[in-house]
Amino acid sequence: MANGDQDMATDELMETEGLKVLAVDDDPIYLHSLTQMLRRCGYEVTAKPSPAEAVREVEKNPDGTDFIMTVVQTRGRGMDGLGLLKRLGKRYPVVLVFSGNETMETRRRGNEGGACYLMEKPLRDAQIHFIWQHVVRWRRNAAAAATANADPRHSQGIHLDDTPRKRGQGVNDPNKGKGGSEGGLQLGTTKKKKVEWTPEMHELFVNAVTQLKTTEGFDSGLPLFRE
């Protein structure tokens, strides 16, 4: 198992036992073969011959499915595997199985439509066994997306840690100039002290003016200040 796959292991889903799969294929021979492969790998299987019947099964027993495994192309009219993905892909992980005859556009639609994993016939037991890892990954991503969407700060483009406590006070903060928060800019926090005019200061001022008059020739008619 690759290192990335080992990281997907969890206490709840270390093995395939207990995972319930809804298998869908309109070819009865292949559906039987797929069902046997899944059961050999430890999955609990409910088999349905069409996407429409798979939808009815989920509506009847929504807790009876952990993930869906469906062929992309079906021979009859009506819903195909991509239609099933569109219908249930936000509620359940959907594994798409390609026959090898599909176009690249079909594969692109499956990938961009939110498929949990893309597989191609013929399938092998080893591939089937490790589907659970992709199911765990899908669940983690879905849970993370749901958590992010539930937090209103994300919808407003605000990071979870981007709070006034960490950013410092903003321009319109009523406490601006009162010390701010640690790490933030503290503008206008130092007030100028009021100067008290004392008699001693007044006497010094008078003496300075008298000396200035003498040195600048005020009594001789020259201006007191020169440019």
Side-chain angles (χ1 to χ4, degrees):
M1 188 185 305
N3 291 335
D5 293 335
Q6 290 177 344
D7 293 340
M8 296 304 302
T10 62
D11 293 338
E12 297 81 11
L13 291 175
M14 284 296 292
E15 297 180 358
T16 60
E17 280 78 9
L19 273 182
K20 300 181 285 292
V21 53
L22 180 56
V24 183
D25 198 311
D26 60 352
D27 183 337
I29 296 177
Y30 182 79
L31 182 59
H32 176 76
S33 175
L34 177 61
T35 299
Q36 295 303 313
M37 293 176 70
L38 287 164
R39 286 176 176 164
R40 280 200 303 270
C41 292
Y43 297 98
E44 297 180 10
V45 186
T46 300
K48 292 297 176 181
S50 71
E53 291 196 35
V55 172
R56 286 193 287 270
E57 173 65 24
V58 167
E59 291 176 346
K60 180 180 67 175
N61 184 20
D63 296 329
T65 298
D66 291 315
F67 72 97
I68 300 169
M69 189 170 183
T70 179
V71 291
V72 175
Q73 291 183 336
T74 54
R75 294 173 293 182
R77 294 183 177 180
M79 187 186 302
D80 61 5
L82 292 178
L84 184 59
L85 172 64
K86 184 177 181 179
R87 181 75 176 268
L88 298 177
K90 294 186 181 301
R91 296 168 55 189
Y92 300 94
V94 177
V95 177
L96 293 179
V97 180
F98 293 85
S99 66
N101 299 323
E102 295 84 1
T103 64
M104 290 302 297
E105 173 63 19
T106 300
R107 293 173 181 269
R108 183 190 65 79
R109 288 174 57 197
N111 188 49
E112 294 182 357
C116 170
Y117 189 47
L118 306 181
M119 307 182 74
E120 186 169 323
K121 297 179 181 179
L123 301 176
R124 300 185 300 275
D125 282 11
Q127 292 175 295
I128 296 292
H129 177 79
F130 289 112
I131 289 176
W132 69 269
Q133 295 177 344
H134 301 283
V135 172
V136 173
R137 181 180 294 111
W138 185 95
R139 287 178 172 177
R140 286 180 176 176
N141 292 339
T147 301
N149 292 334
D151 193 321
R153 288 179 292 179
H154 280 274
S155 61
Q156 298 172 6
I158 301 176
H159 192 272
L160 283 174
D161 291 334
D162 195 17
T163 59
R165 179 177 58 84
K166 296 205 173 184
R167 287 184 288 119
Q169 295 169 327
V171 175
N172 297 322
D173 196 313
N175 293 323
K176 183 181 69 173
K178 296 182 180 180
S181 60
E182 183 178 355
L185 293 177
Q186 300 181 4
L187 303 178
T189 57
T190 303
K191 293 184 178 180
K192 294 182 179 180
K193 294 183 179 180
K194 186 177 180 180
V195 178
E196 183 178 355
W197 191 256
T198 64
E200 291 78 6
M201 294 177 64
H202 180 73
E203 182 177 356
L204 290 173
F205 173 75
V206 171
N207 293 337
V209 171
T210 301
Q211 184 177 3
L212 182 62
K213 288 180 180 180
T214 303
T215 57
E216 293 294 333
F218 179 80
D219 293 336
S220 62
L222 297 177
L224 179 61
F225 300 103
R226 294 177 181 175
E227 295 183 1

